[in-house]
Each structure stands twice: as structure tokens, then as C-alpha cells.
Amino acid sequence: MPDLVLELINLTKTYQVSAGAFRGKRDLRAVNGITLTLEKGEVLGLVGESGCGKTTVAKLVLSLETPTSGHIRLQGRPLTDCDSKEIARQVQPVFQDPYASLNPRKSVGSIISLPLRALKVGNKASWNKKVSEIMEVVGLAPHLRHNYPNQLSGGQRQRVAVARALIMRPQLVLCDEPTSALDVSVQAQILNLLMRLRRELGLTYLFISHNLAVVEHLATRVAVMYLGRIVEEAPTRELFLNPRHPYTQALLGSVLTPEPGLGLPDTRLGIAYPNPIDPPSGCTFHPRCPKADEKCKEHAPVPRRKGGRLVECHFVEEL
Ligand code: SF4
């Protein structure tokens, strides 16, 4: 039996949003019935354009949002049975912007020890010891312990964020664009650090990124999201060598960019990303899909799994 750290089962999150002046409220399905599992030691890359729902998935896993329907299991236990302390022990995030995610008024030592103090794990002596140990693990010099975030470089700040995430030794680290706010030269250092920590500490990552080059480098498996659905999922090498879904093909055929804040590179799909409040009928990708036909406009495809790969397209056999 695989050792499953995370299970998302038919997960849906719907928001009520304003449809515009005098048009009342409409449903926005940010996450629309996705099923994903993450085995211990895996790195699952979650990719898709802005607004596809990947950040909502992160919020649901961190229990910052409640699912509208479906289930989340952490280490086999329903998330709803876990209290906030237990969730914090098992899942820790590393966010995009280390400038925004670190309290500027707290010293490095205080920031890193925060999860231990908040969850009342150990005492002052053990906090100090653990902070020293984890600073060494992530490559932060001991003297930086008394510095403040504004005295650190971008790379050092992200190492502090990683140290804070790992001090509880969580089962799952949720990385939401962890390098996209950093200079290109520093990005490689942080990615190498994350890979080394995964090897040495046996970590499992859910890695959300718009940067396909980063995902190819780091992930063991990739799930591609489009308008709240997983349209393709496969081991990284298979997906990059032989993308099957037309959307994945468009993403991989586009020009990659490491620039932060640009979202996914130009997919050359012509028509802009649809409004999630008013999604297209049938297969929601059909207005942009070069392979769409009449069936696609009327009927949503069902996901089909073969071996380790899932594709959601009517013409999966032909693709
Ligand atoms: Fe394209 Fe049709 Fe497949 Fe959707 S179902 S991806 S529109 S070919």
C-alpha cells in the first residue's frame, strides 16, 4: 500500500461573487471536483494559468478555506478531524514572497521558532537548540539569528521561510511559487536547497508554480489545472516528453520565462483565458482548443486514467 501523505477526493470550492452592477451574485467554481494523491517523498507540481484554482487548492490543504464538497485526508485522516495545531504540525507553507511573509519586527531566531512557540512544543532551551540546528540545515550562518529581515538578502529571507516551515518537521511542505519573487541566480540556490532537503529529510512537496522549467527540474509528477479541473496528470518525464492534452501541449510549446509576476508564458492559444464566473459549455477548453469539434462544445469529457497518466479529453486515444 502506498504511504499517502495527502489525498484530495472530488474536491470542490465554490465562491459567490458579484457578476457586475445589477446582475446579482453568481457561482465561481475555483476548484471543480479534483482528485489528487501525494505519496510520501513525492514532489507534485501543480501548474496552470492565473485563476485556474491552484492557489485555492493550497488554501484548502492549509485549511484556510473550507471545501464546498469533497474530502481532504492528511496521513489518512480527514482534515475535518484534525485541529489547527495538528494541521500546522503536518503541513507547513513556503510562500512566494519572503519579503511579505516574514514579520519585519522579529529577529530571524524569533521568526524561525514561531511554530514551536505557537504550538507550545518544548521549552526555551529546546527552541534555541532547534533553531540553531535548522539554520545550519538550510545554510544560514549562526550570527544571522539576531538579524532582522531587512538586514538579509532575498535568498537569505527565503531560507528563513524554509527553516520556519521545517522546524516542526512537517510531513508535507506546500510551496506556492517559492522562487518567483527572487532573482534568477538566487532561484537556483533555493531550488537546490529544496531538493537537498527533500533527499535528506524525506520531505513531500506540493509545489505550485507557473514556471514549467522549475517544475520539470523539481517535480516527480505534474498535474495541469485548467478552470478548476485537472486536465492532465503524469510522471514529470512522461508529461514533458509526450504531453497528451491539447492544453498541456500548448503550455509546453510556449516560450518559457523565469520572470516573476508574468504568470504562465504566452500559450499562443489566441483567445484569452475564460471568465471563471461564466465558463464555456462542454469541455471548458473548447474555445481555445485547436482540436475541438461539435461534441466538445456540448459535452464535458470525463477524466480517463491509464497507467500513471490521467487525461481529460474526448479524444485521448487519438492524442
Ligand atoms: Fe480539446 Fe475537445 Fe479535448 Fe476539450 S475535449 S481538450 S475541446 S479536443
Side-chain angles (χ1 to χ4, degrees):
M1 282 286 283
D3 188 357
L4 295 180
V5 173
L6 179 69
E7 295 164 83
L8 309 180
I9 304 154
N10 207 8
L11 195 66
T12 300
K13 178 67 187 177
T14 306
Y15 297 100
Q16 286 265 300
V17 295
S18 167
F22 312 115
R23 294 176 63 192
K25 299 256 185 193
R26 298 274 293 276
D27 281 352
L28 187 157
R29 277 204 178 162
V31 174
N32 188 5
I34 69 167
T35 294
L36 279 174
T37 56
L38 194 44
E39 283 181 35
K40 187 169 171 53
E42 265 197 312
V43 181
L44 177 65
L46 192 57
V47 301
E49 288 165 280
S50 275
C52 72
K54 53 193 194 304
T55 297
T56 305
V57 172
K59 287 180 181 168
L60 291 166
V61 173
L62 289 167
S63 204
L64 300 174
E65 296 276 8
T66 312
T68 307
S69 62
H71 306 279
I72 302 176
R73 288 205 189 107
L74 264 179
Q75 297 275 104
R77 285 191 64 198
L79 197 67
T80 44
D81 288 358
C82 306
D83 63 22
S84 56
K85 287 185 179 176
E86 198 173 340
I87 294 168
R89 273 197 199 104
Q90 298 217 32
V91 190
Q92 283 287 321
V94 177
F95 291 115
Q96 175 175 8
D97 187 355
Y99 299 83
S101 67
L102 305 182
N103 186 338
R105 293 192 192 84
K106 299 288 182 189
S107 68
V108 166
S110 176
I111 290 169
I112 294 175
S113 64
L114 179 68
L116 297 173
R117 291 183 287 114
L119 299 176
K120 299 187 172 58
V121 178
N123 53 34
K124 203 169 177 185
S126 68
W127 298 338
N128 283 334
K129 187 165 172 279
K130 285 192 169 167
V131 168
S132 300
E133 286 169 359
I134 201 74
M135 284 182 71
E136 190 180 346
V137 168
V138 302
L140 283 167
H143 70 269
L144 294 174
R145 180 189 196 108
H146 304 292
N147 284 27
Y148 289 81
N150 66 358
Q151 296 170 304
L152 305 178
S153 67
Q156 286 171 330
R157 287 181 211 209
Q158 199 57 305
R159 283 174 198 267
V160 172
V162 172
R164 179 180 57 185
L166 298 189
I167 198 158
M168 295 293 298
R169 297 295 162 112
Q171 289 294 323
L172 175 65
V173 182
L174 198 156
C175 304
D176 190 358
E177 304 274 9
T179 60
S180 59
L182 302 172
D183 289 344
V184 175
S185 59
V186 182
Q187 286 186 15
Q189 292 172 20
I190 297 298
L191 290 174
N192 288 336
L193 171 69
L194 290 171
M195 287 176 73
R196 177 170 66 75
L197 294 175
R198 176 187 163 228
R199 274 197 313 274
E200 291 177 0
L201 306 178
L203 296 170
T204 306
Y205 294 136
L206 176 55
F207 195 92
I208 294 172
S209 181
H210 72 274
N211 190 324
L212 299 172
V214 166
V215 171
E216 184 179 15
H217 188 59
L218 204 79
T220 52
R221 202 151 49 88
V222 180
V224 180
M225 271 190 97
Y226 189 81
L227 271 180
R229 299 280 302 163
I230 303 292
V231 295
E232 183 160 10
E233 184 203 326
T236 306
R237 198 173 148 73
E238 280 180 37
L239 186 119
F240 277 80
L241 277 178
N242 181 20
R244 300 281 296 276
H245 193 281
Y247 180 58
T248 315
Q249 291 171 354
L251 287 185
L252 299 190
S254 59
V255 181
L256 299 178
T257 171
E259 288 293 315
L262 288 184
L264 276 173
D266 179 10
T267 53
R268 303 202 181 130
L269 287 168
I271 303 163
Y273 197 75
N275 183 351
I277 299 176
D278 199 8
S281 61
C283 173
T284 55
F285 185 56
H286 85 255
R288 303 171 89 191
C289 181
K291 299 187 172 77
D293 73 3
E294 288 307 310
K295 183 181 181 185
C296 305
K297 291 180 189 163
E298 287 167 24
H299 304 288
V302 290
R304 272 181 272 180
R305 191 175 282 281
K306 206 170 188 182
R309 186 189 288 251
L310 172 143
V311 182
E312 188 170 272
C313 174
H314 289 308
F315 307 113
V316 60
E317 301 302 338
E318 295 155 39
L319 298 170

